[in-house]
């Protein structure tokens, strides 16, 4: 695995990056280019030599043009999650030093105010408040897989007020966000009982992450379970089922619409402070990165990585590494 000692802290003027100049299917419009300008950093930003980056479903939606009404003008380099090395500091950046290994989700407001220059490139820029120092025991691949997913998991659990001793059901427990909801609910928020859904082959994974009850959604309907839960975290867009599995007076949070009341939905506000708060759990391995076993994908195979992500069969996160 690459480390800071083998990364040059003198950035070139041009960048290798995946870029799209029109909206459409990823396989048709996303192109690899070798002469893309390195982004200029603002006073509160740092320039990062990217070592690994993770893909998120929102990346594919953005490329399709789902957010075109509020998105930046094309061309665009996609990508939210990054792990890499700081190579340049903005004039008012004081949180990090050149050579620091950092990670984060560089799009602060979810699908709003998306960055024109994302993380699928040799170099990218990010506000330092969105980043945290990479835990030393994590590889760049592990670190890149975490930010958007673990921050979304944490923020959702905070919003529904999960507290110690309560029960929770996670719909989509083997996905990028769900794997972290299980772990955070159990090890950070102190849930007394964690149930989660997945397909037959992924039930052992759920148990290994801390699920007390692993439910095979191909064989059981969660809305028919005799047991009801204090909180239901819907990571797959099934709030109609989620609201039937919650106790009276319980709370449901969902990541994908449409929303069935009383479920609520939120958009993540990315911040490095969540990663800093979770650092002890990551360092102790109480909370672990979950990387899909088909990866990490070489940077040159980013199109293949997107194709796999869009099958909705990924376990944990899809990561591309190493960035040249």
């Amino acid at each position: 695995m690459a480390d800071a000692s083998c990364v040059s802290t003198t950035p070139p003027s041009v960048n290798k990056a995946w870029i799209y100049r029109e909206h459409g299917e990823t396989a048709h419009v996303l192109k690899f280019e070798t002469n893309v300008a390195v982004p200029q950093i603002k006073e509160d930003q740092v320039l990062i030599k990217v070592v690994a980056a993770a893909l998120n479903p929102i990346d594919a939606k953005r490329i399709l043009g789902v957010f075109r009404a509020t998105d930046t003008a094309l061309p665009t380099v996609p990508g939210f999650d990054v792990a890499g090395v700081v190579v340049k500091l903005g004039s008012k950046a004081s949180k990090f030093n050149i050579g620091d290994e950092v990670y984060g989700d560089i799009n602060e407001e979810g699908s709003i105010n998306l960055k024109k220059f994302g993380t699928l490139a040799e170099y990218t820029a990010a506000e330092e408040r969105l980043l945290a120092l990479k835990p030393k025991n994590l590889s760049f691949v592990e670190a890149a897989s975490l930010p958007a997913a673990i921050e979304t998991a944490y923020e959702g659990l905070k919003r529904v007020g999960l507290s110690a001793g309560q029960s929770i059901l996670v719909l989509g427990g083997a996905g990028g966000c769900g794997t972290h909801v299980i772990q955070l609910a159990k090890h950070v928020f102190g849930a007394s009982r964690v149930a989660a859904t997945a397909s037959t082959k992924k039930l052992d994974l759920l148990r290994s992450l801390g699920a007390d009850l692993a439910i095979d959604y191909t064989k059981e309907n969660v809305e028919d379970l005799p047991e009801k839960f204090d909180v239901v975290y819907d990571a797959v867009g099934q709030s109609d089922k989620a609201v039937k599995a919650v106790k009276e007076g319980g709370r449901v949070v969902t990541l994908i619409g449409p929303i069935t009341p009383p479920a609520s939905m939120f958009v993540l506000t990315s911040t490095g402070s969540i990663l800093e708060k979770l650092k002890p759990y990551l360092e102790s391995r109480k909370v672990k990165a979950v990387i899909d076993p088909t990866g990490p994908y070489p940077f040159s195979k980013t199109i293949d990585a997107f194709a796999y992500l869009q099958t909705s069969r990924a376990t944990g996160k899809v990561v591309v590494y190493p960035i040249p």
Side-chain angles (χ1 to χ4, degrees), residues 54 80-83 103-106 130 142-153 180 268 270 274-275 317:
F80 282 62
D81 290 315
V82 66
Y103 72 129
D105 168 5
I106 73 166
L130 306 183
E142 289 173 316
S145 77
L146 291 169
I150 204 168
E151 290 179 33
T152 300
H180 292 299
L268 173 68
S270 172
I274 294 177
L275 301 177
K317 293 304 294 288

Side-chain angles (χ1 to χ4, degrees), residues 5-313:
S5 64
C6 61
V7 173
S8 171
T9 56
T10 304
S13 58
V14 293
N15 215 352
K16 296 184 181 74
W18 287 94
I19 191 166
Y20 60 98
R21 299 178 181 277
E22 59 181 323
H23 292 116
E25 294 289 343
T26 304
H28 298 148
V29 301
L30 191 62
K31 307 294 182 185
F32 181 66
E33 298 189 11
T34 59
N35 196 30
V36 180
V38 172
Q40 297 295 309
I41 57 172
K42 300 175 183 177
E43 60 183 15
D44 63 339
Q45 292 184 322
V46 299
L47 187 67
I48 304 166
K49 171 63 179 80
V50 182
V51 180
L55 306 186
N56 291 284
I58 194 172
D59 291 309
K61 291 180 181 179
R62 187 184 184 191
I63 294 169
L64 272 173
V66 172
F67 310 113
R68 72 177 74 203
T70 56
D71 206 346
T72 53
L74 298 175
T76 297
V77 173
F80 282 62
D81 290 315
V82 66
V85 178
V86 174
V87 296
K88 189 176 181 181
L89 304 174
S91 61
K92 293 186 178 179
S94 59
K95 184 176 176 180
F96 303 109
N97 298 310
I98 290 176
D100 280 350
E101 298 177 358
V102 298
Y103 72 129
D105 168 5
I106 73 166
N107 282 289
E108 187 168 13
E109 300 176 89
S111 59
I112 306 168
N113 297 324
L114 289 164
K115 280 192 167 63
K116 185 178 179 69
F117 207 105
T119 61
L120 290 175
E122 275 187 290
Y123 293 88
T124 195
E127 289 78 11
E128 61 176 4
R129 66 180 177 274
L130 306 183
L131 305 170
L133 287 171
K134 178 179 76 66
K136 293 188 182 301
N137 63 315
L138 296 188
S139 69
F140 282 104
V141 167
E142 289 173 316
S145 77
L146 291 169
I150 204 168
E151 290 179 33
T152 300
Y154 182 87
E155 182 66 20
L157 291 171
K158 289 285 285 185
R159 283 175 181 258
V160 291
L162 180 69
S163 58
Q166 291 188 323
S167 62
I168 182 172
L169 169 64
V170 185
L171 302 185
C177 182
T179 52
H180 292 299
V181 176
I182 293 170
Q183 296 182 83
L184 297 184
K186 192 75 171 181
H187 302 301
V188 178
F189 288 80
S192 60
R193 183 163 171 79
V194 178
T197 66
S199 58
T200 310
K201 293 180 180 179
K202 299 178 181 180
L203 299 181
D204 285 342
L205 170 67
L206 303 189
R207 297 183 188 104
S208 74
L209 296 175
D212 303 292
L213 175 63
I215 301 166
D216 186 342
Y217 70 75
T218 70
K219 298 176 181 176
E220 293 186 81
N221 297 317
V222 294
E223 62 267 41
D224 296 332
L225 292 173
E227 180 180 2
K228 304 301 177 186
F229 301 86
D230 296 305
V231 169
V232 181
Y233 197 123
D234 168 29
V236 291
Q238 295 179 344
S239 67
D240 57 331
K241 295 182 178 181
V243 297
K244 295 177 182 177
V246 72
K247 292 178 180 177
E248 187 173 348
R251 299 165 307 282
V252 178
V253 64
T254 187
L255 300 182
I256 306 165
I259 304 168
T260 302
S264 63
M265 190 165 74
F266 73 99
V267 176
L268 173 68
T269 299
S270 172
T271 170
S273 63
I274 294 177
L275 301 177
E276 290 161 357
K277 192 174 297 185
L278 296 175
K279 186 177 181 181
Y281 299 94
L282 294 166
E283 289 182 330
S284 67
R285 297 282 183 177
K286 285 185 177 179
V287 176
K288 300 176 289 186
V290 181
I291 313 296
D292 188 90
T294 63
Y297 286 76
F299 191 54
S300 61
K301 300 291 186 183
T302 295
I303 295 291
D304 294 340
F306 266 113
Y308 178 67
L309 176 74
Q310 291 176 273
T311 66
S312 298
R313 294 199 298 266

